[in-house]
Amino acid sequence: MSYDLYFARRAPGQSWEEALEEPRSPDLAAWERIVGRAREILGEVRIVEYPPNWEMDHEGTGISVNHWEGGWEMSAPYWTRGEDARRTVDVLYEVARVVERESGLECYDPQVGLPLADITDTARAVEAFDTVADRFGRRTEAT
């Protein structure tokens, strides 16, 4: 299970579901810029490239950025809760803003049902981490 973010370019009045189904082409220039900026934020990341798919993973947070067949998405496992979850969400959203800026796409957070640009408080996102952690027995802060 993971906390997922999706990226799309929506036409006026278009739903997120419709926009996410639109075919896209890989953007390797954006991928390279995103990898560079993500390294500035996350530090060391693991890169796996098998065109038309590219993946970047950060071991410490579990944050993953995927550029699959032209689509973009991000995820983070529900490893943390409380203050650690808040830090993970903050970093996840920071990298998502980089993906938005470099890809020209808009980020959507289905867990809170909002575009990233409309999220002013991370409390609902952190609550999602806490709920899953509680459900699976992770009741303490991560170490």
Side-chain angles (χ1 to χ4, degrees), residues 28-93:
L28 296 181
W31 171 253
E32 291 299 325
R33 292 188 305 270
I34 290 165
V35 168
R37 288 285 297 126
R39 283 184 169 135
E40 292 173 11
I41 296 165
L42 298 168
E44 177 136 359
V45 294
R46 180 180 66 95
I47 305 294
V48 177
E49 298 178 337
Y50 48 101
N53 303 306
W54 293 265
E55 298 178 18
M56 172 177 42
D57 300 301
H58 180 250
E59 186 176 332
T61 60
I63 291 173
S64 176
V65 178
N66 303 298
H67 186 36
W68 294 337
E69 298 181 6
W72 293 90
E73 62 183 57
M74 289 182 64
S75 64
Y78 289 105
W79 290 346
T80 57
R81 65 176 329 285
E83 187 60 26
D84 290 331
R86 186 194 60 74
R87 283 190 292 274
T88 297
V89 169
D90 288 347
V91 172
L92 183 70
Y93 284 175

